[in-house]
Amino acid sequence: MTDTTTTRPGSEGAPVPVPTIEHWVGGTTWAGESARTAPVYDPARGIVQKNVRLASRADVDVAVANAHAAAVGWRDASIAKRQTVMFAFRELVNARKDELAAILTSEHGKVTADALGEIARGIEVVELACGMATITKGAYSENVSTGVDVYSLRQPLGVVGIISPFNFPAMVPLWFFPVAIAAGNAVVLKPSEKDPSASNWLAARMQEAGLPDGVLNVVHGDKEAVDALLVHPDVRAISFVGSTPIAKYIFETASAHGKRVQALGGAKNHMLVLPDADLELAADAAVNAGFGSAGERCMAISVVLAVDSVADQLIEKVKQRMSTLRTGDGTRGSDMGPLITGVHRDKVAGYIDRATEDGATVVVDGRDDEFDGDPAGFWLGPTLIDAVPTSSAVYRDEIFGPVLSIVRVEGYEDGLGIINASPYGNGTAIFTNDGGAARRFQREVQVGMVGINVPIPVPVAYHSFGGWKDSLFGVSKAYGAHGFEFFTQEKAVTSRWLDPSHGGLNLGFPQHE
């Protein structure tokens, strides 16, 4: 990151230099040829704190060329060498996690505790990658025919592209590039331009860990950079996390250009609360899952399906808990931070008015909250809306903010039907003390990740993350076994070492003996 002549007004009106975040290519920071930049805000202060380079197609070509040149040597590196790098990287990130958390809070706005939690979940995948030797083993069948053995190998693809979202600037890149690199690939990572510094920080730690230059490259940019990756002939695969419309575009475009694609899309996650549930536990879960990270999570609970007989009790308990939350600067011990930009904050706030227009009841209006931070910050407090019609945009849209909707249902069947009718199928949860109902729910619900008395059922690293329906395009989920399968290709070898006495010609079709 270097200082530039770009300035912003200071507290007393004097211009203040604004640093520019460069790309990371070939093991070092690199400005590229494009002069375009985008602002990176401090959401808690509402100011531009940095600018970030926006790569041109030519800049992406340079990054891919570096990755392509490094891929051959890294492919041939021993498993022991790759493991050594991944173990060292894990230790570096863990030792300096407070430094990374400060970057996340500064650019995304999430509170420090949430930033540290994000890093911890990312480290889980690094730890999985350290054990790649057991996951990428092939199979061996001896003497399938007389003197003939058959075995399989898993080999890297080459250069892969990763396009990650703003809401988890450390965790989502860590879902993908440690697995890809441990499997022997080279990577070009395009993080969100809204909070890009974490990716550069992670790339620098990989270099410290001993990763050869060019194996991990970071290009910052917008749609121009994304499109360049999607069509580049040397990029073999694309991993993406983001909204459903963009996930569909990524999948269709990259697939049309012959690439493997795992494109994880949006969500509208429901939490069904049955009458026998522990309402104290359910209320805690609804607040934690609805308002953590200001609701900017693809696994956030945004809809609580409350059975009529307990709905009023549950709403009162949720409301009481919301009154104890403090929204403010993530460095001040607040429970919830700001939203990522002023534009996004205004969009989310607009749904509160829409709810009233659609006949819902705003129980808690986050616009009326008091905020522990700069008045210019992108603030919106936790919001609770009751009696939301399923026809309303408040119910249908992925709001991606601290807005929790209550939809009242008659019972299990009604709630299940609403969940299964949703075009999304990312995550869901049921709260109940009835084991039979829980078992039936996990079987009948059409969603990829299910929580039973667990509001945010993000799988541990040795399982895989991904939804159903419009929440996933392609067949491969993130990390776990799916991750290593996605970043490798299988080769089957049929081998016969001839006895010196064997010989002769036979033009018939090979047969087993």
Side-chain angles (χ1 to χ4, degrees):
M1 193 165 68
T2 59
D3 287 339
T4 70
T5 56
T6 304
T7 61
R8 61 169 173 82
S11 59
E12 299 179 358
V16 176
V18 176
T20 297
I21 302 164
E22 313 284 12
H23 312 294
W24 179 276
V25 174
T28 188
T29 54
W30 177 64
E33 70 162 26
S34 173
R36 295 189 306 127
T37 62
V40 177
Y41 290 93
D42 180 339
R45 294 190 292 161
I47 62 169
V48 176
Q49 58 171 319
K50 304 166 189 170
N51 288 313
V52 60
R53 297 281 182 193
L54 298 179
S56 65
R57 184 177 293 267
D59 292 334
V60 173
D61 287 345
V62 172
V64 173
N66 272 266
H68 192 262
V72 174
W74 186 243
R75 176 198 66 194
D76 292 337
S78 69
I79 289 175
K81 169 63 176 176
R82 286 185 247 153
Q83 285 181 309
T84 298
V85 171
M86 298 313 301
F87 272 114
F89 175 63
R90 189 268 178 202
E91 292 303 291
L92 285 167
V93 174
N94 189 57
R96 297 173 62 176
K97 59 189 175 186
D98 290 340
E99 180 182 330
L100 178 56
I103 293 172
L104 303 185
T105 298
S106 172
E107 293 185 0
H108 177 274
K110 63 181 63 183
V111 301
T112 300
D114 195 33
L116 288 168
E118 169 183 347
I119 295 164
R121 294 306 301 265
I123 288 175
E124 287 183 12
V125 181
V126 181
E127 292 167 347
L128 175 77
C130 291
M132 48 78 63
T134 60
I135 304 173
T136 57
K137 287 193 302 184
Y140 194 104
S141 297
E142 182 184 21
N143 218 39
V144 298
S145 187
T146 304
V148 178
D149 304 326
V150 177
Y151 51 95
S152 61
L153 312 171
R154 299 210 69 88
Q155 296 184 327
L157 303 176
V159 178
V160 299
I162 299 167
I163 304 164
S164 63
F166 76 81
N167 58 322
F168 287 107
M171 185 180 73
V172 171
L174 288 171
W175 280 359
F176 296 108
F177 79 72
V179 175
I181 289 172
N185 299 282
V187 172
V188 178
L189 167 63
K190 207 299 289 182
S192 170
E193 65 274 22
K194 293 182 175 67
D195 44 13
S197 294
S199 289
N200 281 31
W201 189 94
L202 291 167
R205 302 295 79 75
M206 284 294 289
Q207 184 186 53
E208 287 182 43
L211 188 71
D213 293 347
V215 176
L216 175 59
N217 306 275
V218 181
V219 289
H220 303 291
D222 50 14
K223 188 175 185 297
E224 182 175 349
V226 169
D227 286 344
L229 283 174
L230 300 184
V231 304
H232 199 292
D234 289 335
V235 176
R236 296 286 311 282
I238 294 289
S239 300
F240 171 83
V241 176
S243 70
T244 286
I246 304 302
K248 184 177 181 181
Y249 170 79
I250 296 284
F251 176 76
E252 291 175 347
T253 305
S255 296
H257 286 83
K259 306 184 192 315
R260 298 184 173 195
V261 188
Q262 50 180 180
L264 283 66
K268 194 73 177 182
N269 304 315
H270 301 72
M271 175 176 141
L272 176 59
V273 181
L274 298 186
D276 68 315
D278 181 331
L279 295 186
E280 301 293 338
L281 176 65
D284 287 343
V287 171
N288 293 338
F291 305 124
S293 197
E296 293 174 329
R297 292 172 174 164
C298 66
M299 286 293 282
I301 290 295
S302 54
V303 178
V304 173
L305 300 172
V307 174
D308 283 325
S309 61
V310 295
D312 289 338
Q313 298 175 61
L314 180 62
I315 290 169
E316 186 59 32
K317 293 179 185 297
V318 169
K319 183 180 175 182
Q320 290 171 356
R321 286 159 172 76
M322 290 174 65
S323 68
T324 69
L325 300 179
R326 183 159 59 95
T327 302
D329 191 315
T331 64
R332 300 183 184 179
S334 300
D335 299 297
M336 194 182 89
L339 275 73
I340 185 72
T341 65
V343 171
H344 183 57
R345 184 268 318 276
D346 294 344
K347 178 183 177 182
V348 173
Y351 281 98
I352 303 174
D353 289 329
R354 181 64 182 270
T356 302
E357 295 169 5
D358 291 344
T361 301
V362 178
V363 179
V364 179
D365 191 333
R367 296 172 296 187
D368 300 331
D369 208 346
E370 295 182 0
F371 308 112
D372 183 13
D374 192 307
F378 306 138
W379 308 114
L380 179 65
T383 297
L384 180 64
I385 305 174
D386 185 21
V388 176
T390 56
S391 59
S392 171
V394 177
Y395 170 78
R396 296 194 315 270
D397 295 353
E398 184 182 29
I399 297 176
F400 224 61
V403 177
L404 183 61
S405 297
I406 305 291
V407 175
R408 297 178 181 238
V409 296
E410 295 179 359
Y412 173 87
E413 296 285 356
D414 190 15
L416 179 70
I418 289 174
I419 297 171
N420 286 348
S422 172
Y424 300 108
N426 208 45
T428 190
I430 186 171
F431 277 72
T432 180
N433 285 319
D434 184 337
R439 190 170 186 275
R440 181 181 172 191
F441 182 79
Q442 72 181 28
R443 181 174 180 82
E444 295 178 341
V445 73
Q446 295 173 17
V447 174
M449 293 172 284
V450 180
I452 297 173
N453 298 317
V454 174
I456 305 179
V458 175
V460 292
Y462 40 89
H463 289 268
S464 297
F465 179 103
W468 287 11
K469 299 187 283 189
D470 284 354
S471 294
L472 178 68
F473 295 86
V475 298
S476 180
K477 298 182 177 184
Y479 61 77
H482 279 238
F484 281 100
E485 289 169 5
F486 180 79
F487 288 119
T488 58
Q489 51 196 344
E490 187 178 68
K491 179 183 291 182
V493 180
T494 302
S495 171
R496 176 168 62 186
W497 295 97
L498 299 181
D499 186 290
S501 64
H502 181 83
L505 300 177
N506 184 348
L507 303 187
F509 193 83
Q511 297 184 34
H512 299 310
E513 300 175 358

